[in-house]
Amino acid sequence: MYHSFGLGSQVPMIAPVSCKLPDEKGKRLRALLGNVKLSLLYKASVHGYKASAFHQRCDRRGPTLLVAFNRSGYVFGGYTSVEYARSGQHVIDREAFLFSFQGRMPVCIKINGGHYARLDDAGGPNFGQQLYFCYNNQPVVLNHRGNAFSVNTATMYGNDTELTECEVYKVKQVPQSSAINKQWRNVLWTENRREELIEMIRNHKPLMTSVSRVRILMIGPVGAGKSSFFNSINSIFMGRMTSKAMSGSARTSVTTQFRTYSVVDFHDGTLLPFVLCDTMGLEEQSGAGLDIEDISSILQGHVPDRYKFNPIAPFQHNERRVNRPASLQETIHCVVYVMDATKISLMSDKLEEKLASIRRRVNSLSIPQIVLMTKVDEACPLVEKDLQSLYVSSYIKSKVQEVSSRLGVPVSCVLPVKNYSQELELELNCDVLLLSALQQMLNFAEDYLDDVGRLEYDVL
């Protein structure tokens, strides 16, 4: 095909290189990386499986996403935020990950702590000096055993090492959010509203006299911010930053015990009318993290404070259960799922199924459920710049809708917040968000207790 530029000259037109990556899978991968644009840099079937061809097209191009295809139909690969440069150096990249499509969603494998993400040499792309693509200038993938990534080659690519294609995309960040003309939720970001919320929480009294304090159970994946939410609420009512509950960002749960946290009002030294119950983090693997049977026992009020979780032997299987039923004061009155806004799209099918199983258990007891969506400032630059932009952010709105769909809860029950983490002083906007969320939990719990009271009255 030729294109004429006049004066009788003709220049051959080069057809654009097409992507093998299907649109739907591309959309899922973009969701993993935030709001990004993917531009094809390298296609092995066109440019060659040689390392030199890869580097010629991909070096100094910023973050990249590699997508490989094999004969068995697997789609898998990896991401690195550090550009290729043939420096000969080991690369530290905490953002690097491997992925494999298992069903409609990509399952991600993050880099293990203390390991290099790759060696930036002149060879083909590698991850952790463990998984090599286009190895030895051939259409193959090689798993060279290592510890940088916890790779199961059977599930990642079916142990089929023959590649039918290998593509590398430039990952370009685009503005993650735009402001919409009108707030999609009404919030008063004022000192008066903050004080009003504090007074409402201080003066909350459950309608049922047998319940002195509302018990709220926090459930969520490792690192989502359950313990940080308690620390944040405790800080507000103490009037200074506190860190009573152990929190962090480890790969496995920092919380290993069932803890019931009361909050003391610095105003007069009295206990506030709620208890926040913290649990071990959820993990997708069986035999790891919080067990669903443990959750059932907690909901029914049978697990004591400081009980140490044992994923291999859940509470109801390895503890002598008391014969009497727990009192209403000991049971859970509201369940809160704590989800990290930056990782909602990274949620695996296994974790989604685990959460669905928990929701079924909670539903069977008619306990109200809320989602607390944390780290909104990390998810959206608009919100990071100004927390008051939260409810004009189209990106945060889309994340609220996504978590609502994936967890099966109404949009109105998804509450985006920012926990205190690195701050040294309390801040008005953050307080308003956190207190509004807590007040909503108390309202939901009160509705539940009201229903239980009506049932008891009907029985009498």
Side-chain angles (χ1 to χ4, degrees):
M1 182 180 295
Y2 292 85
H3 184 86
S4 175
F5 283 88
L7 301 177
S9 63
Q10 288 186 322
V11 177
M13 286 185 65
I14 300 175
V17 177
S18 61
C19 304
K20 184 177 176 66
L21 181 65
D23 289 342
E24 181 60 27
K25 285 184 168 57
K27 180 180 178 181
R28 298 290 183 187
L29 289 172
R30 288 195 302 274
L32 292 179
L33 299 162
N35 196 14
V36 301
K37 178 181 178 182
L38 299 180
S39 303
L40 184 64
L41 295 175
Y42 166 78
K43 188 179 180 74
S45 63
V46 173
H47 304 119
Y49 283 90
K50 297 182 185 250
S52 58
F54 159 74
H55 284 287
Q56 181 181 8
R57 303 190 65 86
C58 300
D59 281 1
R60 306 288 184 186
R61 302 303 296 271
T64 52
L65 179 74
L66 182 148
V67 185
F69 306 79
N70 67 11
R71 297 177 307 175
S72 300
Y74 284 79
V75 181
F76 59 104
Y79 167 77
T80 175
S81 67
V82 180
E83 66 182 7
Y84 291 95
R86 283 181 279 186
S87 65
Q89 302 297 311
H90 292 281
V91 172
I92 296 174
D93 184 2
R94 297 292 171 242
E95 302 300 314
F97 64 82
L98 298 174
F99 71 88
S100 175
F101 276 91
Q102 295 170 24
R104 63 187 178 87
M105 297 297 296
V107 174
C108 289
I109 305 168
K110 296 290 287 183
I111 181 85
N112 291 325
H115 291 275
Y116 293 110
R118 57 185 176 83
L119 175 63
D120 187 31
D121 62 3
N126 75 86
F127 290 85
Q129 288 184 268
Q130 180 178 351
L131 201 64
Y132 291 81
F133 292 86
C134 305
Y135 181 72
N136 200 25
N137 297 325
Q138 297 297 318
V140 297
V141 59
L142 172 71
N143 177 40
H144 189 72
R145 293 179 183 177
N147 299 315
F149 296 90
S150 302
V151 175
N152 183 330
T153 58
T155 56
M156 187 173 187
Y157 53 87
N159 285 328
D160 183 351
T161 61
E162 294 291 327
L163 299 179
T164 58
E165 188 60 271
C166 183
E167 297 178 337
V168 177
Y169 292 83
K170 175 181 174 64
V171 178
K172 182 179 180 181
Q173 293 287 336
V174 296
Q176 280 191 303
S177 181
S178 60
I180 53 184
N181 294 330
K182 184 179 178 182
Q183 282 196 148
W184 42 278
R185 281 186 189 166
N186 293 322
V187 175
L188 292 175
W189 306 93
T190 65
E191 184 66 39
N192 285 343
R193 179 55 178 166
R194 178 185 180 276
E195 293 305 315
E196 181 184 29
L197 286 165
I198 286 177
E199 285 304 310
M200 290 169 64
I201 293 168
R202 278 175 178 160
N203 298 324
H204 180 85
K205 294 187 183 302
L207 291 174
M208 298 192 69
T209 56
S210 61
V211 176
S212 60
R213 288 186 291 162
V214 168
R215 289 169 64 88
I216 300 167
L217 177 63
M218 317 290 288
I219 299 174
V222 173
K226 302 183 302 299
S227 301
S228 293
F229 178 72
F230 163 74
N231 286 334
S232 298
I233 294 295
N234 194 54
S235 297
I236 293 171
F237 284 98
M238 288 297 292
R240 59 177 174 79
M241 289 300 174
T242 63
S243 186
K244 185 176 179 180
M246 187 179 296
S247 62
S249 56
R251 288 177 57 83
T252 56
S253 183
V254 174
T255 303
T256 59
Q257 295 179 326
F258 175 64
R259 292 305 317 274
T260 57
Y261 291 112
S262 301
V263 177
V264 175
D265 187 357
F266 77 97
H267 182 68
D268 57 11
T270 60
L271 287 176
L272 289 162
F274 62 89
V275 175
L276 294 175
C277 303
D278 195 11
T279 59
M280 190 177 188
L282 291 176
E283 298 183 40
E284 63 178 52
Q285 301 91 343
S286 59
L290 186 64
D291 189 273
I292 294 177
E293 296 305 325
D294 277 328
I295 294 175
S296 293
S297 299
I298 293 169
L299 293 172
Q300 297 171 69
H302 292 299
V303 178
D305 184 33
R306 296 185 182 275
Y307 168 75
K308 189 169 183 178
F309 295 109
N310 182 352
I312 299 175
F315 176 83
Q316 67 176 28
H317 294 160
N318 71 349
E319 297 285 341
R320 178 175 294 176
R321 300 289 296 276
V322 291
N323 293 323
R324 66 170 181 83
S327 68
L328 188 58
Q329 173 65 67
E330 297 169 304
T331 61
I332 296 300
H333 309 132
C334 180
V335 171
V336 178
Y337 302 100
V338 183
M339 306 299 296
D340 182 342
T342 67
K343 296 181 179 179
I344 289 167
S345 296
L346 295 170
M347 191 192 316
S348 67
D349 289 340
K350 288 182 179 178
L351 184 56
E352 194 170 339
E353 290 167 7
K354 201 167 194 176
L355 284 164
S357 297
I358 294 169
R359 276 186 42 73
R360 286 192 291 271
R361 297 286 182 98
V362 179
N363 284 335
S364 69
L365 297 171
S366 300
I367 300 173
Q369 301 164 75
I370 286 177
V371 177
L372 198 69
M373 194 174 78
T374 62
K375 305 184 184 179
V376 292
D377 56 319
E378 296 180 27
C380 175
L382 193 68
V383 177
E384 183 179 28
K385 185 177 180 181
D386 181 4
L387 200 55
Q388 289 192 22
S389 299
L390 179 68
Y391 289 124
V392 295
S393 166
S394 59
Y395 184 74
I396 294 299
K397 185 177 182 180
S398 71
K399 286 295 164 186
V400 167
Q401 293 167 336
E402 182 181 358
V403 76
S404 166
S405 174
R406 298 192 69 175
L407 266 65
V409 298
V411 168
S412 60
C413 294
V414 181
L415 310 177
V417 298
K418 176 187 181 301
N419 287 331
Y420 285 116
S421 55
Q422 301 177 8
E423 294 78 7
L424 298 177
E425 300 289 339
L426 297 173
E427 195 269 331
L428 172 63
N429 295 330
C430 194
D431 283 3
V432 168
L433 274 183
L434 292 162
L435 291 168
S436 297
L438 178 58
Q439 180 60 43
Q440 184 80 317
M441 296 171 197
L442 296 178
N443 290 342
F444 274 42
E446 195 57 45
D447 290 341
Y448 167 71
L449 291 171
D450 186 41
D451 288 342
V452 171
R454 291 177 187 273
L455 286 173
E456 289 184 355
Y457 179 81
D458 291 343
V459 169
L460 293 174

